[in-house]
């Protein structure tokens, strides 16, 4: 594949940022919003809660003049990310009720740390009838340790930060997530009048304010979408320029691609990735940011399946994020799972086959493997991929891929 692709706004930044618009009755304008089914869902949830939501191209205008504190059971249950409306509702209304997000194929994904944070701020939290209820007469700033089984929690940090923004006094979150998406949210909250420092580090300090006002914000580029196209360039022996990508958000991925033999050039707001001859196997361990992102693990596994030699990929964030292994095996990959690690014996020529997407990033890995395989690959259940990739087939065709969306039989 050859050419340029423009990176869209980040899904995992825009979801909590849209939820944060619930913190004020004033209008908010969010720019560079990716056209994704998850974003549409969040729009429906905000509308359900009483906000006015207007979409104009890649800009969303939200005004949550008057809102209710309870989210629609089915809507919230359908998208895990929507749990992050709980912090803003609790912060603004001192009450919030949402359906308990179930687990998903990649792991149990409990929200105990979110709830711990709300309790530390003085909320009473109960779980009943499939709903989580949180309420408080007053929210009082507090010191909150958010470290868990796999280190920090991204949406947990976001949720607690949003509730604490309207609490009385100062809160300090320790073992906070350092992801760029958390920083982007903190920047938006500060633009609304919040007083947050330390975002991007494990210690975030929030001095509560009485109220927040409307604000405008441009969402950061999606580092995982950019990583996916970078890996696709290496997998297809191509050269792709990622327009608008932020290299400073992608060190771990670019570092591993360089180790594997790809050439990376950074210039003026773009990153160019090209394959430079034979690839080398690399070992990967997923970690909280700035370590290697779990959301790029499957795509990297597809690349290692194509790379002669043995590589070991260890998943430390989610306990069952290897659903793509059996589907890659359908294409001829040789991968064995040993506990939290997958041992990839790479270099075999893959051949096209019908495969099934199980989750968002697994589906991206199957598309990359299909682009490098001989023959035709059919990836089924692509609704998974539309949740997190804007117009992926259109962008890939622009880069020379032979890919088309067809109605499933
Ligand atoms: C965010 O999920 C992302 N989603 C995920 O991206 C991403 O994989 C994940 O962060 C890790 O980077 C969104 O931002 C919408 P976590 P989140 O809480 O916040 C455990 C994608 O592909 N944990 O940081 O839900 C949890 O089970 C998606 O775009 C607790 O134990 O993830 C996991 O093992 C998939 N208790 C680990 O922490 C808690 O209360 C990290 O989860 C919360 C989390």
């Amino acid at each position: 594949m050859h050419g340029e692709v423009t990176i869209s706004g980040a899904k995992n930044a825009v979801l909590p940022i849209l939820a944060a618009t619930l913190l004020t009755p004033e209008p908010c304008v969010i720019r560079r919003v990716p056209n994704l089914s998850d974003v549409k869902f969040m729009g429906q949830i905000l509308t359900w809660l009483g906000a006015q939501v207007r979409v104009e191209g890649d800009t969303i205008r939200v005004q949550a003049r008057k809102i209710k504190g309870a989210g629609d059971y089915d809507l919230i249950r359908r998208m895990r990310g929507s749990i992050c409306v709980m912090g803003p509702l609790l912060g603004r209304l001192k009450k919030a009720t949402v359906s308990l997000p179930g687990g998903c194929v990649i792991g149990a994904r409990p929200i105990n740390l979110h709830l711990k944070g709300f309790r530390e701020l003085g909320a009473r939290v109960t779980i009943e009838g499939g709903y989580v209820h949180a309420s408080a007469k007053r929210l009082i700033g507090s010191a909150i340790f958010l470290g868990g089984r796999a280190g920090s929690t991204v949406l947990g940090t976001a949720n607690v930060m949003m509730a604490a923004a309207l609490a009385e006094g100062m809160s300090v979150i320790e073992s906070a997530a350092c992801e760029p998406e958390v920083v982007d949210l903190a920047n938006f909250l500060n633009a609304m009048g919040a007083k947050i420092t330390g975002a991007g580090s494990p210690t975030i300090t929030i001095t509560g304010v009485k109220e927040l006002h409307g604000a405008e914000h441009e969402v950061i580029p999606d580092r995982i979408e950019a990583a996916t196209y970078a890996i696709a360039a290496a997998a297809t022996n191509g050269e792709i320029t990622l327009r608008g990508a932020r290299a400073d958000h992608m060190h771990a991925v670019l570092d591993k691609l360089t180790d594997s033999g790809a050439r990376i050039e950074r210039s003026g707001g773009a990153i160019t990735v090209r394959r430079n001859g034979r690839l080398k196997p690399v070992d990967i361990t997923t970690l909280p940011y700035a370590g290697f992102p779990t959301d790029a693990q499957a795509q990297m596994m597809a690349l290692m399946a194509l790379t002669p030699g043995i590589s070991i990929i260890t998943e430390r964030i989610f306990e069952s994020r290897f659903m793509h292994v059996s589907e890659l095996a359908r294409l001829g990959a040789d991968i064995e799972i040993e506990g939290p690690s997958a041992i990839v014996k790479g270099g075999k020529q893959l051949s096209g086959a019908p495969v099934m997407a199980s989750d968002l990033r697994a589906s991206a890995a199957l598309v990359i493997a299909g682009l490098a395989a001989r023959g035709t690959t059919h990836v089924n259940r692509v609704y998974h991929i539309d949740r997190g990739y804007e117009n992926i087939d259109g962008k890939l065709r622009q880069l020379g891929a032979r890919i088309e969306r067809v109605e499933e039989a």
Side-chain angles (χ1 to χ4, degrees), residues 11-13 15-16 80-81 106 108-115 148-156 179 223 294-295 316-319 321 360-361:
K11 168 182 82 81
N12 292 347
L15 294 178
R80 286 194 51 79
I106 66 175
R109 305 187 72 177
I111 57 165
N112 55 311
L113 297 169
H114 301 231
L115 305 185
R149 186 192 60 79
S152 53
T153 162
V154 177
L155 288 180
E179 271 67 4
R223 63 192 169 98
T294 173
D295 296 345
R316 290 269 177 240
I317 305 294
F318 291 107
E319 59 277 21
R321 199 169 204 178
L360 168 56
R361 307 303 171 182

Side-chain angles (χ1 to χ4, degrees), residues 11-23 38 42 45-46 49 76-77 79-91 96-99 101 111 114-115 118 132 153-163 181-182 185 189:
K11 168 182 82 81
N12 292 347
V14 78
L15 294 178
I17 285 172
L18 286 171
T21 63
L22 295 168
L23 285 162
D38 274 11
M42 185 55 92
I45 291 167
L46 297 182
L49 289 166
I76 297 221
R77 204 161 54 81
M79 180 179 72
R80 286 194 51 79
S82 55
I83 188 67
C84 60
V85 300
M86 215 174 168
L89 293 176
L90 183 61
T97 295
V98 297
S99 50
I111 57 165
H114 301 231
L115 305 185
F118 296 149
V132 193
T153 162
V154 177
L155 288 180
T157 302
N159 244 336
V160 175
M161 195 161 67
M162 291 189 275
E181 294 77 24
V182 171
L185 173 63
L189 293 170

